[in-house]
């Protein structure tokens, strides 16, 4: 029978960090991931990260991923790839698919680091080839080295839309414009400024009305939005484009947590439905921890810190490791959730803690 | 709402109020960093990057980076370290009539030393022609090149990049 003290589902930044800390504390850890390559989204992140030295700021995302994998290997973490997890049973059984059929793994603690799905927009022509999520375009350029098209419209100006637009330019595509339904740009000004210097327009209070084309995207029609986000008649404008990328937010992948009976809450600021958790990422099911985007959509640097916290805490709950490391990680998380962009997420996280306490009382 | 959140680039009033932007007086005293970072984001590699301790973010990691003009010698080590590509250096009195502006550059092909290039402002619009004087690359810069262009002096606080379209396949 396959056994592990701690099973981690998801080999992205949160999952690998959780596995590392748990292994460091002396736990025997198995990570499983449905993808054939580890790292989650990290290996597509060719830009230098923000944060402080402790968050490896200034280091490119893929290099952080390489470091995590190296450390996992050194600590003897077993990373099983190509296995989609199918379910979790109350006795700690994790069931997953392999080429040889369905297998299971018994674990005393389960850390869910399943990440998030990209949201879609629906508009006339959104089913045409050439319309895709921004993450798909990023996979094409940074992993497969294929341009999704020559002239891209990016919908959404959060950091994901801004960063991937910049990477599309670097890959040799032209970004004809970014559109943002809100009256202001969502992500960091420094990211937006790179695009503006490169001659890329960013239109606020505007969105895509339709994609035009017979068999693939040949153009897009934009429309201005009023303060109630309603289209303003007579403001249609057609641009020549062959690709539409959507960067309109992410939704946590909570299915396994739901199967494990974890109680949920709904927090729009963190991406929607999220398993309730305490400050160490333990859910209402004491066997199950969450970390990274499943615990609220944030960034890779927060996912890494949350993963560490969950890994330490899960090991602690089995009597392994010591309490010393938690405090420092908490402080680093707080730093990442401060300032004009982070404060809202910190507030939302505090709301989750409060609801968790109420639920457990 | 701030101008930069609407447009994506800083206007002159916003720049004038930034603690990372040197004074006119400091610009007259030789090369210096211009830190165009205007939002309270959790970030501080610029502080670590400067060997002279000229940039301070401080305990609160979301504070704006401030520049101590007296300590900065314009060496440019911080330029490639900023993940926001928000740091430039300006040598206003490079010659009698020209200034030298350095900026981070992450597109291929790299410009060549001696090349005459169209230079653009923060809005991406053409400002003037410039001559590439230096292209720094190397392991320490981790794939971010630092390009220096010589431009007419009056453009030293305007020019922040070169036109990406010059000779790049597919673009424009
Ligand atoms: S230019 Fe050199 S001295 Fe000036 S702030 Fe940057 S690293 Fe420091
Ligand atoms: S490294 Fe760049 S983006 Fe980060 S705080 Fe310093 S100037 Fe701003």
């Amino acid at each position: 029978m396959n056994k592990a003290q701690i099973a981690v589902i998801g080999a992205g930044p949160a999952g690998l960090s959780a596995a590392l800390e748990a292994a460091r504390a002396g736990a025997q850890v198995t990570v499983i991931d449905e993808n054939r390559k580890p790292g989650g989204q990290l290996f597509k992140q060719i830009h230098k990260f923000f944060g402080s030295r402790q968050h490896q700021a200034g280091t490119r995302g893929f290099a952080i991923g390489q470091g995590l994998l190296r450390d996992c290997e050194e600590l003897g973490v077993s990373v099983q790839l190509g296995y989609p997890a199918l379910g979790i049973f109350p006795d700690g059984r994790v069931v997953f698919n392999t080429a040889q059929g369905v297998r299971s793994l018994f674990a005393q603690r389960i850390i869910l680091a399943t990440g998030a799905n990209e949201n879609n927009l629906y508009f006339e022509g959104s089913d045409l080839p050439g319309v895709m999520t921004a993450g798909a375009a990023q996979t094409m350029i940074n992993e497969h080295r294929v341009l999704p098209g020559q002239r891209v419209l990016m919908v959404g100006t959060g950091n994901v839309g801004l960063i991937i637009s910049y990477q599309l330019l670097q890959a040799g595509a032209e970004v004809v414009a970014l559109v943002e339904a809100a009256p202001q740009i969502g992500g960091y000004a420094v990211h937006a400024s790179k695009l503006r210097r490169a001659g890329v327009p960013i239109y606020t209070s505007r969105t895509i009305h339709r994609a035009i084309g017979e068999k693939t995207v040949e153009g897009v029609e934009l429309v201005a939005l009023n303060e109630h986000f309603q289209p303003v008649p007579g403001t249609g404008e057609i641009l020549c484009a062959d690709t539409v990328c959507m960067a309109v937010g992410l939704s946590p992948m909570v299915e396994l947590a739901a199967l494990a009976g974890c109680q949920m809450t709904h927090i729009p600021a963190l991406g929607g439905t999220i398993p309730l958790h305490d400050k160490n990422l333990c859910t209402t099911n004491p066997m199950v921890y969450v970390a990274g985007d499943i615990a609220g959509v944030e960034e890779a640097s927060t996912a890494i810190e949350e993963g560490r916290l969950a890994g330490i805490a899960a090991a602690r709950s089995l009597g392994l490791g010591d309490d010393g490391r938690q405090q420092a990680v908490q402080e680093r998380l707080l730093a990442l959730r401060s300032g004009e962009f982070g404060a809202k997420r910190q507030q939302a996280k505090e709301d989750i803690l409060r609801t968790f306490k109420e639920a457990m009382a | 709402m701030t101008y930069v959140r609407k447009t994506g680039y800083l206007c002159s009033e916003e720049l004038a109020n930034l603690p990372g932007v040197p004074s006119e007086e400091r610009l007259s005293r030789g090369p210096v960093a211009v830190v165009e970072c205007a939002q309270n984001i959790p970030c501080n590699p610029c502080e670590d990057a400067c060997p002279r301790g000229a940039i301070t973010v401080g305990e609160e990691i979301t504070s704006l980076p401030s520049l101590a003009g007296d300590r900065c010698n314009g060496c440019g080590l911080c330029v490639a370290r900023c993940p926001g590509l928000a740091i430039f250096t300006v040598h206003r009195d490079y010659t009698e009539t020209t200034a030298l502006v350095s900026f981070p550059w992450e597109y291929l092909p790299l410009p060549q030393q001696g090349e005459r290039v169209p230079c653009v402002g923060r809005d991406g619009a053409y400002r003037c022609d410039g001559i590439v004087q230096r292209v720094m690359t190397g392991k320490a810069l981790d794939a971010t090149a630092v390009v220096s262009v010589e431009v007419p002096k009056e453009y030293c606080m305007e020019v922040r990049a070169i036109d990406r379209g010059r000779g790049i396949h597919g673009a424009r």
Side-chain angles (χ1 to χ4, degrees), chain B residues 33 50-52 54-55 67 72-78:
Chain B
C50 178
R52 306 170 67 90
I55 302 181
L67 179 81
C72 172
N73 66 358
C75 70
L77 282 172
C78 51

Side-chain angles (χ1 to χ4, degrees), chain A residues 41 114-119 159-160 248-254 267-275 277 291-303 306 336-337 341-342 344-346 348-349 352:
Chain A
Q41 308 303 305
T114 47
N117 268 324
E118 291 184 278
N119 297 336
N159 279 336
V160 170
V248 290
L250 297 128
S251 302
M253 290 173 73
V254 297
I267 312 249
L270 292 173
T273 300
I274 293 161
H277 54 270
D293 280 351
I294 184 183
V297 174
E298 298 187 84
E299 287 150 8
S301 27
T302 35
E306 278 196 342
L336 288 173
R337 291 180 184 138
F341 290 88
K344 219 194 303 169
R345 287 182 278 121
Q346 176 61 23
K349 280 284 183 180
I352 294 179

Side-chain angles (χ1 to χ4, degrees), chain A residues 261-320:
Chain A
C262 302
Q263 230 171 294
M264 303 284 168
T265 183
H266 191 81
I267 312 249
L270 292 173
T273 300
I274 293 161
L276 279 177
H277 54 270
D278 69 6
K279 69 178 198 316
N280 291 323
L281 286 313
C282 185
T283 67
T284 53
N285 176 344
M287 279 181 76
V288 179
Y289 290 70
V290 284
D293 280 351
I294 184 183
V297 174
E298 298 187 84
E299 287 150 8
S301 27
T302 35
I304 289 172
E305 300 297 354
E306 278 196 342
R308 288 181 173 145
L309 211 48
I312 297 169
R316 274 310 286 147
S317 73
L318 297 174
L320 299 165

Side-chain angles (χ1 to χ4, degrees), chain B residues 2-84:
Chain B
T2 57
Y3 184 84
V4 69
R5 283 211 81 176
K6 180 89 194 149
T7 63
Y9 64 93
L10 295 159
C11 64
S12 46
E13 288 90 87
E14 284 169 328
L15 283 164
N17 289 322
L18 289 182
V21 173
S23 63
E24 272 299 315
E25 186 275 326
R26 176 60 190 83
L27 283 169
S28 73
R29 284 193 284 118
V32 67
V34 182
V35 187
E36 301 191 359
C37 183
Q39 290 175 329
N40 299 104
I41 55 180
C43 187
N44 71 2
C46 49
E47 184 174 64
D48 283 344
C50 178
R52 306 170 67 90
I55 302 181
T56 310
V57 173
E59 267 300 297
E60 197 80 58
I61 187 184
T62 51
S63 302
L64 292 185
S66 68
L67 179 81
D70 290 340
R71 290 203 193 157
C72 172
N73 66 358
C75 70
L77 282 172
C78 51
V79 173
R81 285 286 297 281
C82 164

Side-chain angles (χ1 to χ4, degrees), chain A residues 97-149:
Chain A
N97 217 356
T98 73
Q100 289 77 42
V102 175
R103 295 282 182 274
S104 58
L105 170 74
F106 274 96
Q108 290 165 273
R109 295 289 180 272
I110 298 165
I111 301 176
L112 298 175
T114 47
N117 268 324
E118 291 184 278
N119 297 336
N120 275 296
L121 272 183
Y122 302 98
F123 47 84
E124 185 184 329
S126 62
D127 56 345
L128 282 172
V131 179
M132 64 189 76
T133 62
Q138 193 185 35
T139 302
M140 289 179 74
I141 54 175
N142 294 350
E143 230 176 281
H144 304 297
R145 315 241 172 164
V146 179
L147 277 182

